[in-house]
Amino acid sequence: MFYKSSKVGISPQVIKSLAVTAMLGFVTACRASSGDNGEPLLTDSNNRLPSVDAGLDQTATELSTITLSGSGSDSDGSIVSYQWTQTSGKTVSIENPNRPDISFRAPKGITEQQITLQLTVTDNEGGNNSDSIIITVIPMTPEEAGLALRKAIKNAGYLAKFVTLPPKPDRDLAIATVEGIDTNNNGTRDDLEHITYQGLNMLKGVNLDTYNHMISVINMIQPSDKAVENSISKVDVFCSYQALPENVKKEMPLRFVYMIVLDTQARKTAHYDSLISAPRNLGPELCEPAE
């Protein structure tokens, strides 16, 4: 049995409908990709990433302070955060890693080494970008190491930022006379200032007031060249000393203070010639204010 083939016809109304639908889709696509002025519309998917610059690679000496100045910008918004992270090398401690400018100490090492830090910036749309900087750290020369050690010792302790010591005198010159050497003319022998500083500087809680208090005790004991009769009161010395912090008294007992002040026979003689008599056994009750 044979069948006749027949053509399937599409009505003009259907063709028109399909054409209109296709045209509307094309127009919608064009509007989605372009604004009225032809510029691309900004959406979440086409946010421009921010620019970031961690700075130029550099070389530094071990244990030196390194300062980095990074930057970031965003052409279609603003930068809302910065974050520095270390991605390689011996670990360093970064101060304020969430700021564009940071500082840290270069690590110590006996050979040349490299550390890498990365700066990441994030814009107000959540887009981020990163840039890295490589720092080559070289060992110090023996001369630089010696200078750094002396500087560290000088700056260590609780008094380093407040006390300026006079030059340390020669031992023979320091004990040649009762009054010794006082180059800064503050009434205290230079050698006693150095001893007091060394005794107090590393003690926790010591400050400039504590240092000056101890110096005043020393000055009360320290005799003048020509001893003035009845000028030194053992009670005054004892009570002034008692007011010092306990850790100071433990480190520098009163007998030790007398020992460093009265370190020659001439000074001992001058001191006792100027002493006011006091009870044999001094105690805290002598320091109580009279009612």
Side-chain angles (χ1 to χ4, degrees):
M1 181 179 292
F2 297 93
Y3 295 91
K4 289 184 179 180
S5 61
S6 63
K7 295 182 180 180
V8 178
I10 301 176
S11 67
Q13 290 82 0
V14 173
I15 294 175
K16 183 177 180 180
S17 176
L18 291 173
V20 171
T21 301
M23 181 63 70
L24 287 174
F26 176 77
V27 171
T28 301
C30 291
R31 288 181 178 177
S33 61
S34 301
D36 294 339
N37 57 1
E39 293 294 326
L41 292 176
L42 300 181
T43 65
D44 291 342
S45 61
N46 59 15
N47 173 48
R48 296 187 180 93
L49 293 180
S51 299
V52 57
D53 184 6
L56 298 176
D57 295 346
Q58 58 181 270
T59 300
T61 305
E62 62 170 325
L63 299 180
S64 63
T65 299
I66 299 174
T67 300
L68 301 182
S69 296
S71 62
S73 61
D74 189 33
S75 60
D76 60 347
S78 60
I79 302 298
V80 295
S81 70
Y82 296 84
Q83 185 64 49
W84 286 93
T85 55
Q86 184 177 355
T87 57
S88 70
K90 194 171 183 179
T91 303
V92 298
S93 178
I94 303 174
E95 296 182 12
N96 301 316
N98 58 346
R99 295 182 181 180
D101 298 336
I102 60 170
S103 62
F104 58 92
R105 291 193 71 189
K108 182 176 177 58
I110 58 176
T111 58
E112 184 177 300
Q113 58 183 307
Q114 288 186 334
I115 58 175
T116 304
L117 278 78
Q118 178 178 277
L119 174 61
T120 300
V121 299
T122 304
D123 65 17
N124 59 311
E125 295 288 339
N128 59 69
N129 204 354
S130 300
D131 186 35
S132 295
I133 180 173
I134 298 175
I135 300 172
T136 302
V137 181
I138 58 176
M140 288 187 284
T141 65
E143 293 77 13
E144 290 173 330
L147 180 62
L149 178 60
R150 291 192 295 272
K151 184 178 180 180
I153 293 174
K154 181 179 179 181
N155 293 333
Y158 295 91
L159 298 174
K161 296 180 180 180
F162 308 106
V163 176
T164 301
L165 292 173
K168 192 171 183 178
D170 177 82
R171 171 64 180 167
D172 293 336
L173 295 176
I175 65 174
T177 62
V178 171
E179 292 185 336
I181 298 174
D182 180 15
T183 56
N184 54 8
N185 297 313
N186 66 347
T188 307
R189 285 165 29 198
D190 292 351
D191 58 328
L192 296 182
E193 289 190 60
H194 280 270
I195 295 173
T196 304
Y197 180 89
Q198 292 171 2
L200 300 181
N201 186 38
M202 302 305 292
L203 293 182
K204 187 176 181 180
V206 166
N207 54 30
L208 183 59
D209 289 340
T210 308
Y211 175 81
N212 288 334
H213 192 150
M214 180 62 82
I215 289 295
S216 71
V217 172
I218 287 174
N219 287 346
M220 294 171 69
I221 300 172
Q222 182 176 283
S224 59
D225 187 14
K226 294 181 179 179
V228 179
E229 187 176 1
N230 297 332
S231 64
I232 299 173
S233 168
K234 288 181 67 176
V235 174
D236 290 343
V237 172
F238 176 80
C239 291
S240 181
Y241 175 83
Q242 285 296 109
L244 287 164
E246 290 301 321
N247 63 329
V248 171
K249 291 188 286 187
K250 182 178 180 180
E251 179 71 16
M252 298 184 71
L254 185 54
R255 62 180 181 277
F256 174 75
V257 178
Y258 272 100
M259 183 179 71
I260 64 173
V261 175
L262 308 177
D263 54 352
T264 67
Q265 187 57 50
R267 287 167 181 162
K268 291 178 183 178
T269 301
H271 172 81
Y272 288 114
D273 285 347
S274 302
L275 204 61
I276 295 176
S277 298
R280 189 173 186 85
N281 296 318
L282 298 178
E285 64 278 358
L286 292 175
C287 306
E288 296 294 333
E291 296 182 358

